[in-house]
């Protein structure tokens, strides 16, 4: 396994061992890897000469300092898991000072409104942090393709916009959501759930699946009410938001248009652990 902690060492290794024509697949992560991450890595391995996985808990995308402090970190186990997938994977695990060339500070981005919906509303500055760290990581790795999970669908849309705005020669690849057997989407944060929260966490997927089933037969208002009711007075989960939105602008849908693709999104708290999930409604 090749693990690098500085941009310089990473770039030296790549230029020494690969030609400029070799395709580089890149999977950015915050570590605490699980099979959801590995599904992205496997796809990248299938489609590229070499794969770089970054492991970096990015301080500028956290608006809540206790969430940042409590974010699980397990570099050794992460490297072990990646090694099992393929020994030639390159791991890039920089310090914040190395990646940011000093103190981590966010740049400001205009993602044409995508950044102000949902996660952007509830996590102010989040997508500036995401845009900043990905710009730095893309400069360091210089990937041909970058792989992102639909688990963070809004992030995927923001990354596509970032690449478009900055005219970067990078193909952005969206990957399916990988779920636990009960339907709960794999997330590094699941490690912080109690056993009961983790098994009852199927509720998130059950609710989204019900919305998908009823989409087109019930109005957006009725679907909203149904979801709010499912979480009302729930002993384990508190709904932060539920939204149905067209994937083109991610704005809250009011009236459903025939020619648009829609998804349903939610964010839920289990005590202080925040979980997000989403589902495609009128397409697969
Ligand atoms: P994170 O480490 O949470 O920042 O995630 C790194 C990448 O893995 C992001 O592109 C996520 O969308 C993706 N990812 C996380 N969980 C899943 C999952 N359950 N299924 C598919 N992709 C995922």
């Amino acid at each position: 396994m090749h693990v690098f902690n500085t941009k310089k060492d990473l770039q030296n290794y790549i230029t020494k061992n690969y030609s400029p024509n070799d395709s580089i697949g890149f999977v950015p992560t915050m570590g605490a890897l699980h099979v959801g991450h590995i599904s992205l890595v496997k796809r990248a391995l299938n489609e590229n000469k070499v794969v770089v996985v970054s492991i970096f808990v990015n301080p500028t995308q956290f608006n809540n300092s206790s969430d940042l402090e409590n974010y699980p970190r397990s570099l050794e186990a992460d490297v072990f898991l990646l090694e099992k997938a393929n020994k030639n994977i390159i791991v890039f695990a920089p310090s914040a000072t190395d990646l940011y060339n000093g103190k981590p500070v966010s740049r400001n981005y205009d993602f044409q409104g995508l950044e102000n919906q949902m996660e952007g509303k509830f996590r102010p500055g989040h997508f500036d942090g995401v845009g900043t760290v990905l710009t730095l990581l893309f400069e360091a790795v210089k990937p041909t393709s970058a792989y992102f999970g639909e688990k963070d669908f809004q992030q995927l849309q923001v990354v596509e916009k970032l690449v478009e705005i900055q005219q970067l020669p990078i193909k952005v690849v969206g990957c399916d959501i990988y779920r636990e057997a009960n339907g709960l989407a794999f997330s590094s944060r699941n490690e912080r759930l109690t056993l009961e929260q983790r098994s009852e966490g199927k509720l998130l997927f059950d609710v989204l699946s019900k919305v998908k089933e009823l989409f087109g037969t019930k109005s957006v208002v009725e679907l909203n009410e149904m979801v709010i009711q499912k979480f009302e007075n729930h002993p384990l989960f508190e709904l932060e938001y539920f939204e149905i939105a067209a994937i083109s602008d991610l704005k809250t849908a009011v009236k459903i248009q025939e020619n648009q693709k829609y998804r349903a999104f939610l964010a839920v708290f289990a005590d202080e652990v925040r979980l997000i999930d989403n589902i495609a409604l009128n397409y697969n």
Side-chain angles (χ1 to χ4, degrees):
M1 277 303 270
H2 316 283
V3 182
F4 299 105
N5 301 117
T6 66
K7 289 182 283 195
K8 206 169 151 217
D9 288 348
L10 172 77
Q11 284 162 352
N12 282 344
Y13 180 82
I14 293 177
T15 37
K16 228 184 192 170
N17 291 280
Y18 295 94
S19 91
N21 293 330
D22 287 336
S23 59
I24 301 178
F26 178 39
V27 183
T29 82
M30 297 206 296
L33 300 183
H34 49 67
V35 290
H37 294 115
I38 299 300
S39 69
L40 271 59
V41 172
K42 288 199 168 146
R43 176 140 181 215
L45 284 165
N46 278 338
E47 298 176 1
N48 298 278
K49 174 89 180 177
V50 59
V51 169
V52 178
V53 177
S54 65
I55 296 179
F56 180 68
V57 182
N58 175 35
T60 63
Q61 73 187 69
F62 284 80
N63 57 315
N64 175 332
S65 57
S66 97
D67 191 21
L68 172 61
E69 271 163 37
N70 290 318
Y71 199 85
R73 290 163 172 87
S74 54
L75 184 60
E76 228 174 275
D78 292 347
V79 171
F80 182 74
L81 209 59
L82 291 169
E83 197 161 25
K84 270 206 316 198
N86 187 303
K87 287 198 181 346
N88 292 323
I89 291 170
I90 298 171
V91 177
F92 180 43
S95 67
T97 313
D98 181 77
L99 187 64
Y100 278 86
N101 290 321
K103 194 169 174 279
V105 184
S106 264
R107 301 173 190 170
N108 293 320
Y109 292 91
D110 177 358
F111 295 119
Q112 298 171 7
L114 290 174
E115 73 277 26
N116 300 325
Q117 309 302 321
M118 300 182 288
E119 291 300 286
K121 268 188 219 154
F122 288 91
R123 302 182 71 185
H126 174 66
F127 289 113
D128 277 339
V130 169
T132 306
V133 76
L134 286 175
T135 301
L136 294 168
L137 287 168
F138 287 161
E139 279 166 13
V141 177
K142 300 183 176 49
T144 323
S145 301
Y147 295 78
F148 294 87
E150 289 186 341
K151 158 85 171 27
D152 301 279
F153 191 85
Q154 187 174 9
Q155 171 175 274
L156 171 63
Q157 301 303 90
V158 163
V159 179
E160 277 178 359
K161 191 58 77 185
L162 176 77
V163 165
E164 181 192 312
I165 292 168
Q166 300 192 343
Q167 299 187 330
L168 302 173
I170 300 171
K171 182 176 162 206
V172 176
V173 184
C175 303
D176 290 344
I177 302 174
Y178 211 85
R179 297 179 179 282
E180 300 196 7
N182 67 359
L184 177 66
F186 272 100
S187 163
S188 305
R189 289 185 168 90
N190 293 359
E191 285 179 24
R192 297 179 55 209
L193 298 175
T194 63
L195 281 179
E196 189 188 17
Q197 288 168 337
R198 196 155 177 169
S199 73
E200 294 301 315
K202 72 193 283 297
L203 177 66
L204 279 68
F205 184 56
D206 288 348
V207 166
L208 289 172
S209 302
K210 192 75 194 163
V211 171
K212 183 179 175 101
E213 184 193 318
L214 296 176
F215 187 73
T217 67
K218 299 234 180 258
S219 69
V220 173
V221 172
E222 286 168 324
L223 291 171
N224 270 308
E225 278 168 5
M226 180 190 82
V227 173
I228 289 167
Q229 222 172 42
K230 297 240 186 217
F231 285 97
E232 211 157 52
N233 301 322
H234 197 283
L236 298 178
F237 302 112
E238 189 189 331
L239 183 66
E240 184 177 47
Y241 67 76
F242 169 75
E243 299 258 352
I244 291 176
I247 65 168
S248 54
D249 59 12
L250 298 182
K251 285 189 183 146
T252 310
V254 182
K255 210 160 170 265
I256 301 307
Q257 317 266 334
E258 287 254 316
N259 54 351
Q260 291 271 19
K261 289 180 176 168
Y262 290 93
R263 289 182 93 91
F265 300 82
L266 50 70
V268 167
F269 276 98
D271 293 327
E272 76 285 5
V273 182
R274 188 171 182 276
L275 303 171
I276 58 170
D277 200 352
N278 69 89
I279 198 166
L281 293 175
N282 58 347
Y283 70 102
N284 281 313

